[in-house]
Amino acid sequence: MNFKAPRGTHDLIGPEALRLRQLEEISRNVLYKWNYSEICLPSFEDAGLFTRSIGESTDIVEKEMYVFEDRKGRKLALRPEGTASAVRAVIEHNLTQTLPLVKLFYAGSMFRYERPQAGRYREFFQVGAEYFGNPEPAADAETVIVADEILRKMGLSKTEIHLNSLGCKACRPAFRAALKDYFASQKDLCGDCRRRLEHNPLRLLDCKIDGHKFEGVPKMEDFLCPECSDHFGRVRELLQQSGRAFIVDHRLVRGLDYYTKTIFEIRSASVGSQDALCAGGRYDNLVEELGGASTEAVGFALGSERIILAASNENAFREPQGPVRVFIAVSGESLVKEAFGFAVKLKTSSRNDEIRSGLGLEDKAIRVEGPFAKKSLKSQLKLADRLGADKTIIFGEEEYKLGVVIIRDMKTQGQSEVRVRPA
Ligand code: HAM
């Protein structure tokens, strides 16, 4: 076969898929506790939704979106992120009017045409959360804490919360102007920085090539209007009060244009250069900009692959309490009907069904495999071993005539007999 998974995508097989599901399960449990409800969003939307939300001059919109036309010539895009879709859904279904509180979360894959490397894919998974209609600093602090809590529940310890404020429409223009002045006096800017200087001077702050040169670069904090400054101060107070350590990072900016006031990233020292496990912030203008009523909002998204990588590197994965694995073997083809029937009964049984008692399997989660009548008993037992079976139930001709089957403990090799029908 000449097909391979497309560049930047990856298959998650068995235990890897399980880890993704574990992360999603832990996230769901935390988010439910904080009163979020799930929203399942489409994987593609009108391309214009993303262009308008994320910003025309961002890398995502300029270079990374998977845009295509459907058969009726509609311009669509695979979602590069979930916030724009969540906002579209809130407006479309008038959720701020119909729900008493709009706190939504989603889990699923996102698509960006980026240069693949460890921790960076073209299709990747996110768990995202969006809180609408609460302008208070407590909502920002809650958002940071929820994200951090999920990472803690994943067992991660080498994380750092980076926090900054980007101000609002009133105070950011002066900061942008000051940045432009500052950068105009800098020589030898890289191509990306020169290109961004006109439309997006904030992005120069996190340039990986030039960033270290920018000593004495203006700080947004010095330009915040009294309201944004007070807001940022309170967010910090609330985080301190809740015992969450953070770093105020004046160089922190975001690759999406919709943010206002608080922005944050949670980085890990356990992964390589793609160290942002989570990112988010406040976006008080976006709902209105997309045609809804003025509604403040704040949220975050976790990058699932990076979190799984960090958890593996920190040996933080707790293997789930496995089910009891049962293998059904037959000594010859003559008993295949009986063994197959028994296996179906066991697989469809409930925890307290009669078939389980006697096998010592009542009240246990089980995973059942077999029988494979065409294989010899020896190779069935080998397969049972390779599958990690705890018990093998052997249908032997002599024993079955007497109404019993053999139960073999795969660890101790000890065997006993159990009656399955009257003699
Ligand atoms: P973002 O920073 O673009 O924000 O992505 C959030 C997280 O997704 C990143 O911190 C990273 O862990 C993960 N991520 C991003 N790109 C990739 C990639 N190519 N491969 C693997 N992981 C990746 C957003 O998406 C915003 N929607 C977050 C938000 C929600 N802000 C407010 N609400």
Side-chain angles (χ1 to χ4, degrees), residues 81 83 112 114 119 121 126 130 254 258-259 276 299-300 303:
E81 58 116 40
T83 309
R112 296 183 194 176
E114 292 195 79
Y121 303 95
Q126 278 189 347
E130 316 290 350
R254 305 279 299 121
Y258 48 62
Y259 291 102
F300 68 83

Side-chain angles (χ1 to χ4, degrees), residues 165-231:
S165 173
L166 290 182
C168 64
K169 277 183 187 161
C171 50
R172 203 181 308 162
F175 178 54
R176 277 173 63 109
L179 279 181
K180 271 190 177 178
D181 281 351
Y182 172 87
F183 290 127
S185 66
Q186 296 286 311
K187 297 195 176 55
D188 302 332
L189 292 179
C190 72
D192 267 352
C193 281
R194 277 202 306 275
R195 200 169 43 79
R196 284 169 171 161
L197 186 54
E198 191 49 40
H199 298 294
N200 213 343
L202 269 69
R203 282 315 302 271
L204 271 67
L205 289 171
D206 73 344
C207 174
K208 300 275 180 296
I209 302 167
D210 291 333
H212 66 281
K213 299 182 197 160
F214 302 150
E215 220 169 277
V217 69
K219 293 178 181 169
M220 183 67 222
E221 200 175 358
D222 298 332
F223 290 80
L224 293 177
C225 62
E227 195 206 317
C228 287
S229 175
D230 179 60
H231 188 97

Side-chain angles (χ1 to χ4, degrees), residues 144-188:
V144 176
I145 294 168
V146 174
D148 186 51
E149 190 60 20
I150 294 173
L151 299 180
R152 287 184 181 201
K153 286 267 167 6
M154 284 295 291
L156 299 181
S157 55
K158 297 182 186 160
T159 53
E160 260 177 5
I161 300 172
H162 289 243
L163 202 65
N164 197 9
S165 173
L166 290 182
C168 64
K169 277 183 187 161
C171 50
R172 203 181 308 162
F175 178 54
R176 277 173 63 109
L179 279 181
K180 271 190 177 178
D181 281 351
Y182 172 87
F183 290 127
S185 66
Q186 296 286 311
K187 297 195 176 55
D188 302 332

Side-chain angles (χ1 to χ4, degrees), residues 10-22 308 317 319-320 325 367:
H10 54 145
D11 300 308
L12 293 170
I13 300 167
E16 288 174 82
L18 191 68
R19 290 184 166 192
L20 177 72
R21 298 299 163 223
Q22 262 179 283
I308 291 169
F317 267 109
E319 292 309 329
R325 288 172 185 267
R367 249 178 125 153

